[in-house]
Amino acid sequence: KQEVTQIPAALSVPEGENLVLNCSFTDSAIYNLQWFRQDPGKGLTSLLLIQSSQREQTSGRLNASLDKSSGRSTLYIAASQPGDSATYLCAVSKAGSARQLTFGSGTQLTVLP
Amino acid sequence: SAVISQKPSRDICQRGTSLTIQCQVDSQVTMMFWYRQQPGQSLTLIATANQGSEATYESGFVIDKFPISRPNLTFSTLTVSNMSPEDSSIYLCSVLQGNSIEQFFGPGTRLTVL
């Protein structure tokens, strides 16, 4: 059974810092990995998707990397802003299927002004 | 990406009652899913809503407790039946569109059961 772990559970940084969020998964037979953002009491916003054949994806100040063989992904946020404060979730789907997403427990990020 | 709406956005219900949550998409989608997020926890997949047939449930979830309908390619409902306080969660629908492998989520329904 796939298990997804995110470290740290919570992170507080001053505005302007670069930061890295970590995600690990136990079964490397994944189809893709997706990073989401969740604001308090709200739904999920898709940030980046990395297919299993890819190593990284970038969108603006966000860069996500994937090392499938070691079961790890990182989300790098450059020049953090208070508006980046949210919970960040990673999720993986099974090889051969984009359907079932297994989620990590999330990293709660606070960017202090 | 598809625009997804859910109704209600939140509700407070009494123990033993049932609540039906609606998920509406502004365009036809290939697949629709229902997830639960219990307080302080991450998301767990409840079921895949199949158009015109019975939903496919994940381990630990049953049709009697969470009946699901999907009458067409843009709409689905999830009913939480005979509710107890343990059902207090955020319920989210998500979709896959066309050949895309990227899932998009609705805004969620926050349910509190007293």
Side-chain angles (χ1 to χ4, degrees), chain A residues 12-19 77-81 111:
Chain A
S12 183
V13 301
E15 181 177 5
E17 270 204 10
N18 303 324
L19 59 100
I77 302 177
S80 58
Q81 304 170 357
V111 181

Side-chain angles (χ1 to χ4, degrees), chain A residues 35-46:
Chain A
W35 281 94
F36 295 90
R37 167 189 174 135
Q38 185 175 32
D39 293 283
K42 302 291 179 62
L44 277 65
T45 300
S46 179

Side-chain angles (χ1 to χ4, degrees), chain A residues 34 38 41 43 46 99-100 104, chain B residues 37 42 58 102-103 107 110:
Chain A
Q34 208 166 340
Q38 185 175 32
S46 179
R99 305 172 183 182
Q100 291 184 310
Chain B
Q37 186 176 30
S42 194
E58 297 301 308
E102 187 172 4
Q103 279 195 35
R110 180 182 289 273

Side-chain angles (χ1 to χ4, degrees), chain A residues 31-32 34 36 38 40-49 51 89 98-106, chain B residues 10 31 33 35 37 40-45 48 58 90 92 96 100-108 110:
Chain A
Y31 189 76
N32 61 48
Q34 208 166 340
F36 295 90
Q38 185 175 32
K42 302 291 179 62
L44 277 65
T45 300
S46 179
L47 297 174
L48 289 165
L49 179 145
Q51 297 186 54
L89 297 161
R99 305 172 183 182
Q100 291 184 310
L101 287 179
T102 301
F103 280 83
S105 53
Chain B
R10 59 176 58 220
M31 303 191 73
F33 309 93
Y35 287 81
Q37 186 176 30
Q41 300 190 27
S42 194
L43 282 76
T44 302
L45 179 64
T48 302
E58 297 301 308
I90 299 174
L92 301 106
L96 281 172
S100 174
I101 59 174
E102 187 172 4
Q103 279 195 35
F104 295 97
F105 282 76
R110 180 182 289 273

Side-chain angles (χ1 to χ4, degrees), chain A residues 51-71:
Chain A
Q51 297 186 54
S52 61
S53 58
Q54 298 174 324
R55 297 283 294 180
E56 65 178 334
Q57 284 287 334
T58 298
S59 176
R61 294 183 293 108
L62 305 180
N63 175 275
S65 68
L66 173 64
D67 183 343
K68 199 174 77 163
S69 61
S70 68

